[in-house]
């Protein structure tokens, strides 16, 4: 089996896992949750193998490079990182509820990568500017950050959904009652945001070290650079309003949504503006 | 203290200001990425009233990152950060210097039952047990005998109180580095033809030229492509010459800059120099004649005849048929023009009637001379970008500080533990309490662990 085949299967597995997480959420039966996370683990393992195969394949084609060099590859890595971080959180919190909100994001990323006509999934050779070890550390740290923010976004959505019904008071029974406690969600939003913030910070730094070696300037106000800084500032505002002004709950959830919108714009929207990073377009 | 009452001071020491400023900066950035480029602006502002155009130009809406508005916001932000830090310092220092004893009031008052251990050993026996347990986990411990009982104290991570300061300092360090770079830095470009050397650079943004104290020679430039035509390597072999001596030689690649004399050199672009040359040989009646390097516009004499040759064109690849030159040869009897193709044999193999169909493609048209092309000498020039940025070390230092600070802020905390032993009738009760500046879960884990350890030690 080649890596493209495996990746199509992985897309399907993530979808199935999402459906099972939904069953778990609606029925409240632990069985579905276990099945769902089993599938997610299987998908993660398969995807890891596919990424390694693709990596090896690029060497066989004589242009060996880590599979993190174009939009398709970054999208696949994004999905991988979302599932990885999610499964770690699931394993630590023992709660299988937020899977229903997070796993579909990985599925969407995979599906978008393989379906969108703008995205080329061929292994392409690296132009000289991309031939740098900083490419790997830059993309890995950025997308680990994005994935952590995706999870904060998922938790923020659940928080608002739960909050819509009855304000900040807990409501015991029913569908909403099965969602995690508001306090738990608040902690999860904070923790994943903090994790994402550290990764994003390192991601921006490795990016500017790379720019320093490649272009002779660690910062050039390229739209993508600027938008990564906007995203960073939004999350900095979010963390400060918690640290200093003690914001909790709904406001943090809303900021998590705004922050993730910035992440998506930095990642995808900016490509429609001209700039150095526009190599990602093809 | 009068300083603190000053209204300007209190304005700058508010965190609301920080959040407002950060939000404003975000808005400026959003505007900057969406506003059109300078050229578009000029045509646009011309249609407005002169007043509006002036405002637009003053705010530098086409380059907000270098506009007075942005500098103003950054100045306010830096002041805000500095003043907040100064303001907060005394309280922080007090925390840092807080005495071990007495313990904070009431810290033992509402302990959960799990943090109270009872036993029936003597206090004097238990003291060394607790002391060694604290010592094992926290390096050292202090003790004191008070009327409230016998107290132990241990702590960890006191310096982490300054984590926030490190992060905020790192931001100021980076801003300082950026300012130094923009004042004392310099960026310029040079194009060097293979084999030549250059000692002046064109400053970026049309600021004139900069004369270097040394010259740079391009010994060779190479561009390689992958099979699908994507560029693979741009490579310049450079020599740096100072006072007539080659001081350094190096290979410059994209992503691998070379430093020399305070400048860093970057491979930026390349191009073909216009002076393409063909190495042309000819035979006279089968006998080998001379070899000449010819560029367009050159003339040459053909020995043994009164003819004079003119090179009309030199092409690296004409109509996908490979290198070719067009010659005109004038002798007293003739004036003819013809093409000489390097790959004539292949062309004839594809079309055997070529020379009868197109006599002009016959390189032997001027008998008895038959011309051929040995090779084409195409010179490239390499485009180098050179940068001097004395702010880089500061920015890098700022980056390291920020990462270190973030690790402290998010992963470490100042944790203090007090253990109190009290005789209660025949029994002795040991209470374990803790305090931390953040991350209560971690503190709780540590306390639980301490309780378990002390219980085990007492049993043993
Ligand atoms: C974007 C630049 C930043 C600015 C302008 C800024 C500014 C401020 C200000 C003015 C305060 C209030 C200090 C006070 O309580 O008096 C503060 C607090 C704080 N900042 Fe920042 N900050 C920035 C970035 C960061 C970053 C990147 C972190 C990352 C960890 C951070 C962590 C904190 C923390 C933890 C506090 C709360 C301190 C406390 O516990 O009292 N800041 N910041």
């Amino acid at each position: 089996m080649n890596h493209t085949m495996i990746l199509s299967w992985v897309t399907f597995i993530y979808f199935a896992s999402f459906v099972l997480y939904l069953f778990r959420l609606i029925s409240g039966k632990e069985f579905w949750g276990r099945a769902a996370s089993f599938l997610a683990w299987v998908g993660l393992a398969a995807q890891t193998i596919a990424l390694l195969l693709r990596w090896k394949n690029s060497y066989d084609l004589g242009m060996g490079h880590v599979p993190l060099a174009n939009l398709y590859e970054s999208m696949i890595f994004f999905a991988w990182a979302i599932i990885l971080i999610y499964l770690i959180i699931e394993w630590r919190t023992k709660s299988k509820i937020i899977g229903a909100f997070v796993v579909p994001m990985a599925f969407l990323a995979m599906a978008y990568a393989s379906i969108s006509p703008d995205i080329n999934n061929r292994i392409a050779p690296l132009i000289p500017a991309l031939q740098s070890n900083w490419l790997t550390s830059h993309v890995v740290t950025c997308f680990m950050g994005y994935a952590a923010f995706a999870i904060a976004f998922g938790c923020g959505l659940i928080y608002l959904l739960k909050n819509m019904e009855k304000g900040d008071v807990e409501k015991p029974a029913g569908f909403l009652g099965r969602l995690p406690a508001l306090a738990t969600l608040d902690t999860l939003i904070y923790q994943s945001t903090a994790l994402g913030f550290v990764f994003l910070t390192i991601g921006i730094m490795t990016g500017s070290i790379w720019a320093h070696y490649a272009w002779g300037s660690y910062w050039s106000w390229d739209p993508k650079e600027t938008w990564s800084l906007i995203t960073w500032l939004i999350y900095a505002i979010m963390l400060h309003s918690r640290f200093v002004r003690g914001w909790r709950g709904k406001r943090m959830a809303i900021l998590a949504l705004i922050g993730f919108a910035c992440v998506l714009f930095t990642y995808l929207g900016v490509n429609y503006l001209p700039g150095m990073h526009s190599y990602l377009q093809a | 203290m009068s300083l603190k009452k000053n209204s300007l001071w209190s304005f700058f020491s508010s965190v609301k200001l920080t959040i407002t400023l950060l939000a404003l900066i975000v808005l400026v950035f959003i505007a900057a990425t969406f506003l059109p480029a300078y050229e578009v602006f000029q045509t646009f502002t011309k249609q407005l009233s002169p007043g509006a155009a002036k405002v637009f130009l003053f705010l530098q809406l086409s380059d907000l990152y270098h506009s007075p508005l942005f500098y103003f916001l950054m100045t306010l932000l830096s002041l805000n950060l500095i003043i907040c830090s100064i303001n907060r310092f005394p309280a922080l220092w007090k925390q840092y210097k807080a005495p071990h004893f007495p313990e904070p009031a009431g810290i033992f008052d509402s302990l959960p039952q799990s943090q109270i251990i009872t036993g029936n050993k003597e206090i004097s026996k238990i003291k060394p047990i607790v002391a060694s347990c604290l010592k094992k986990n926290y390096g050292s411990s202090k003790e004191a005998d008070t009327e409230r009982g016998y107290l132990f104290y241990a702590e960890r991570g006191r310096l982490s109180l300054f984590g926030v300061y490190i992060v905020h300092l790192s931001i100021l360090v980076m801003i300082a580095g950026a300012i130094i770079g923009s004042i004392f830095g310099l960026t310029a470009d040079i194009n060097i033809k293979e084999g030549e050397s250059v000692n002046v650079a064109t400053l970026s943004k049309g600021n004139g030229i900069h004369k270097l104290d040394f010259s740079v020679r391009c010994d060779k430039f190479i561009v390689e492509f992958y099979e699908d035509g994507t560029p693979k390597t741009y490579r310049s072999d450079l020599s740096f010459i100072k006072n007539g001596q080659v001081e350094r030689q190096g290979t410059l690649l994209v992503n691998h800059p070379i430093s020399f004399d305070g400048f860093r050199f970057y491979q930026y672009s390349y191009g073909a120099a216009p002076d393409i040359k063909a190495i042309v040989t000819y035979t006279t009646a089968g006998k080998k004649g001379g070899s000449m390097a010819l560029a367009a516009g050159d003339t040459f004499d053909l020995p043994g005849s009164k003819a004079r040759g003119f090179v009309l064109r030199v092409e690296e690849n004409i109509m996908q048929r490979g290198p070719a030159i067009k010659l005109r040869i004038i002798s007293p009897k003739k004036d003819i023009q013809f093409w000489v193709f390097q790959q004539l044999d292949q062309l004839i193999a594809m079309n055997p009637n070529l020379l009868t169909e197109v006599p002009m493609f016959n390189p032997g048209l001027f008998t008895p001379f038959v011309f051929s092309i040995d090779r084409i000498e195409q010179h490239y020039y390499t485009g180098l970008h050179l940068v001097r940025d004395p702010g880089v070390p500061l920015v890098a230092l700022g980056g390291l500080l920020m990462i270190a600070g973030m690790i402290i802020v998010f992963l470490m905390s100042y944790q203090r533990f007090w253990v109190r032993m009290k005789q209660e009738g025949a029994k002795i009760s040991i209470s374990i309490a803790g305090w931390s500046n953040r991350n209560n879960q971690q503190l709780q884990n540590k306390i639980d662990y301490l309780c378990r350890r002390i219980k085990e030690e007492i049993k043993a």
Side-chain angles (χ1 to χ4, degrees):
Chain A
M1 259 213 287
N2 65 16
H3 56 85
T4 335
M5 269 283 260
I6 303 181
L7 288 176
S8 344
W9 274 98
V10 169
T11 314
F12 173 74
I13 292 175
Y14 287 158
F15 182 72
S17 165
F18 159 55
V19 172
L20 292 181
Y21 275 117
L22 266 188
F23 278 9
R24 159 72 186 80
L25 180 61
I26 292 163
S27 73
K29 294 219 170 63
E30 205 39 66
F31 167 77
W32 297 114
R34 275 201 298 275
S37 57
F38 175 74
L39 273 190
W41 280 107
V42 170
L44 183 71
Q47 197 179 359
T48 311
I49 292 171
L51 285 174
L52 292 174
L53 278 180
R54 188 176 170 98
W55 195 348
K56 184 179 168 298
N57 209 321
S58 77
Y59 275 91
D60 299 342
L61 292 173
M63 47 201 172
H65 60 80
V66 193
L68 298 170
N70 58 24
L71 185 52
Y72 174 80
E73 291 172 336
S74 68
M75 201 63 120
I76 300 291
F77 184 76
F78 188 26
W80 183 86
I82 291 176
I83 296 288
L84 176 74
I85 297 186
Y86 166 69
L87 284 174
I88 293 174
I89 290 177
E90 183 189 274
W91 172 63
R92 290 193 42 173
T93 61
K94 308 272 182 287
S95 158
K96 296 194 195 313
I97 301 297
I98 48 178
F101 294 80
V102 172
V103 173
M105 287 194 257
F107 161 71
L108 284 178
M110 296 291 290
Y112 182 63
S114 47
I115 291 168
S116 165
D118 304 339
I119 299 182
N120 189 340
N121 72 355
R122 268 206 338 260
I123 300 181
L126 287 187
I127 59 166
L130 296 185
Q131 296 164 10
S132 166
N133 289 334
W134 293 105
L135 168 72
T136 314
S137 34
H138 176 54
V139 178
V140 167
T141 44
C142 283
F143 281 90
M144 291 301 272
Y146 291 179
F149 291 140
I151 287 167
F153 167 80
C155 296
L157 272 187
I158 309 178
Y159 193 101
L160 293 179
L161 193 70
K162 204 169 169 175
N163 189 272
M164 245 177 0
E165 194 80 342
K166 254 202 136 189
D168 282 311
V169 189
E170 290 289 340
K171 190 168 169 245
F175 166 74
L176 292 177
R178 270 190 219 108
L179 295 170
L182 289 177
T184 314
L185 288 171
D186 182 60
T187 312
L188 274 177
I189 292 175
Y190 165 67
Q191 286 178 344
S192 20
T193 303
L195 181 72
F197 189 65
V198 174
F199 271 123
L200 179 64
T201 309
I202 302 178
I204 294 176
M205 284 179 189
T206 48
S208 39
I209 297 173
W210 179 16
H212 169 82
Y213 283 112
W215 313 115
S217 163
Y218 57 84
W219 198 265
S220 338
W221 297 113
D222 163 81
K224 195 149 190 137
E225 287 175 351
T226 309
W227 269 93
S228 70
L229 196 55
I230 292 174
T231 308
W232 190 83
L233 288 172
I234 297 283
Y235 285 110
I237 291 173
M238 177 169 167
L239 291 173
H240 280 83
S241 34
R242 182 183 172 107
F243 285 146
V244 189
R245 304 198 54 81
W247 285 15
R248 292 284 189 283
K250 190 170 164 190
R251 289 165 164 184
M252 290 307 249
I254 291 173
L255 280 171
L257 303 199
I258 297 176
F260 193 62
C262 285
V263 167
L264 288 184
F265 193 80
T266 307
Y267 180 25
L268 299 171
V270 164
N271 293 337
Y272 299 99
L273 304 170
M276 282 193 293
H277 278 85
S278 46
Y279 68 85
L280 280 177
Q281 268 173 35
Chain B
M1 284 298 114
S2 69
L3 201 54
K4 290 209 167 164
K5 296 210 180 73
N6 184 319
S7 65
L8 198 63
W9 183 273
S10 59
F11 170 73
F12 274 119
S13 59
S14 106
V15 184
K16 270 192 197 150
L17 176 68
T18 317
I19 293 184
T20 315
L21 285 174
L22 291 180
L24 283 176
I25 290 174
V26 164
L27 290 181
V28 169
F29 285 165
I30 293 178
T33 53
F34 280 98
L35 282 173
Y38 186 69
E39 298 74 39
V40 188
F41 243 92
Q42 273 192 322
T43 48
F44 178 62
T45 45
K46 272 198 197 115
Q47 294 161 6
L48 294 167
S49 68
K54 255 190 205 142
V55 172
F56 273 52
L57 283 180
F58 174 73
L59 290 175
Q60 286 192 8
L61 289 186
S62 62
D63 186 13
L64 279 171
Y65 310 113
H66 302 99
S67 67
L69 172 67
F70 180 58
Y71 290 153
F72 177 67
L73 289 177
M74 289 304 284
T75 313
L76 287 189
L77 190 74
S78 310
L79 281 177
N80 179 227
L81 193 49
I82 294 170
I83 290 176
C84 262
S85 302
I86 297 176
N87 230 14
R88 206 165 149 275
F89 197 76
L92 183 72
W93 190 246
K94 221 169 126 194
Q95 244 182 19
Y96 179 72
K97 282 286 174 192
H100 315 137
F101 305 113
E103 74 282 4
I107 196 162
F108 287 113
D109 286 355
S110 50
L111 285 187
Q113 209 49 45
S114 62
Q115 286 173 227
I116 300 171
I117 304 166
T118 46
N120 39 18
K121 278 194 177 156
E122 282 165 40
I123 282 200
S124 61
K125 288 243 176 68
I126 293 179
K127 263 190 217 163
I129 294 178
V130 174
S132 81
C133 186
L134 286 176
K135 199 167 159 111
K136 209 185 277 166
N137 291 303
Y138 299 101
S140 71
S141 65
K142 305 266 182 298
E143 41 199 287
D145 205 356
T146 70
E147 70 268 23
R148 300 177 306 278
Y150 197 84
L151 281 173
F152 283 95
Y153 170 80
E155 64 169 31
R156 125 173 316 182
R158 190 196 300 215
L159 282 172
S160 77
L161 285 177
F162 296 101
V164 181
Y165 273 76
I166 298 179
V167 173
H168 291 158
L169 178 71
S170 76
I171 291 168
L172 295 173
V173 170
M174 281 193 236
I175 292 177
I179 293 173
I180 288 178
S182 70
I183 295 175
F184 301 107
L186 177 156
T187 62
D189 293 283
I190 32 179
N191 290 341
I192 315 174
K193 231 169 72 179
E194 275 179 304
E196 297 191 347
S197 49
V198 171
N199 65 352
V200 281
T202 318
L203 291 172
S204 308
K205 298 187 200 118
N207 287 339
I209 57 164
H210 180 80
K211 195 159 177 329
L212 301 169
D213 299 336
F214 54 90
S215 58
V216 193
R217 189 175 69 216
C218 173
D219 299 319
K220 193 156 188 54
F221 176 81
I222 294 173
V223 50
E224 288 174 44
F225 297 90
Y226 294 100
E227 275 166 26
D228 67 351
T230 316
K232 182 180 184 180
T233 318
Y234 303 127
R235 184 186 130 176
S236 307
D237 292 340
L238 301 180
S239 301
F240 296 89
I241 303 161
K242 206 168 182 177
N243 305 325
Q245 290 213 312
V246 174
E247 291 219 342
R248 170 140 189 226
Q249 286 191 303
T251 298
L252 183 64
L253 296 156
V254 180
N255 272 310
H256 298 275
I258 292 183
S259 297
F260 186 77
D261 209 32
F263 285 97
R264 285 191 322 275
F265 286 79
Y266 293 86
Q267 181 67 55
Y268 225 56
S269 64
Y270 77 101
D275 61 338
I276 169 171
K277 277 191 176 158
I279 310 299
V280 176
T281 55
Y282 57 89
T283 57
T284 331
K287 273 213 314 272
K288 227 173 165 26
S291 152
M292 307 170 285
L294 300 176
D298 285 353
T299 60
F300 55 92
D301 292 320
L302 289 172
S305 74
K306 293 203 179 91
R308 194 164 172 72
F310 298 85
V311 184
L312 300 180
R313 286 167 73 178
V314 178
E315 298 290 338
E316 194 192 4
N317 184 3
I318 186 152
M319 295 181 297
Q320 305 301 318
R321 285 181 173 76
I325 57 171
K326 191 177 185 188
L327 297 179
R328 175 180 184 189
I329 296 187
I330 304 179
S331 70
K333 282 181 230 148
K334 271 187 182 171
D335 177 353
I336 49 172
Q337 296 185 7
F338 57 92
W339 285 92
V340 180
F341 284 91
Q342 184 173 9
Q343 299 159 1
L344 188 66
D345 295 348
Q346 288 167 36
L347 295 178
I348 290 177
M350 283 186 330
N351 178 4
N353 300 327
L354 183 72
L355 296 187
T356 45
E357 279 170 16
V358 195
M360 243 192 136
F361 285 1
N362 186 351
L365 217 53
F366 187 76
T367 46
F369 297 91
V370 180
F371 292 88
S372 62
I373 298 177
D374 224 29
R375 66 198 141 88
I376 291 283
E377 258 182 20
Q378 165 85 65
H379 284 278
Y380 285 103
Y381 69 83
T382 179
L384 308 182
H385 190 56
L386 61 163
V387 177
R388 186 179 64 203
D389 187 346
V392 165
L394 268 187
V395 176
L397 175 71
L400 287 178
L401 281 177
M402 181 175 281
I403 299 291
M406 282 196 181
I407 289 174
I408 296 175
V409 167
F410 288 119
L411 296 181
M412 298 180 187
S413 54
Y414 181 27
Q415 297 163 353
R416 321 177 78 195
F417 305 93
W418 288 270
V419 180
R420 185 183 65 184
M421 293 191 288
K422 235 172 37 186
Q423 196 74 43
E424 281 177 351
K427 292 211 164 169
I428 149 167
S429 107
I430 307 172
S431 316
I432 300 161
W435 174 93
S436 167
N437 65 331
R438 64 176 85 245
N439 203 343
N440 291 319
Q441 190 52 48
Q442 218 179 51
L443 181 78
Q444 194 56 50
N445 295 346
K446 291 258 168 66
I447 291 175
D448 293 346
Y449 178 75
L450 258 186
C451 292
R452 265 201 322 266
R453 286 307 307 264
I454 291 177
K455 258 187 213 157
E456 281 165 16
E457 297 274 336
I458 289 175
K459 263 196 205 128

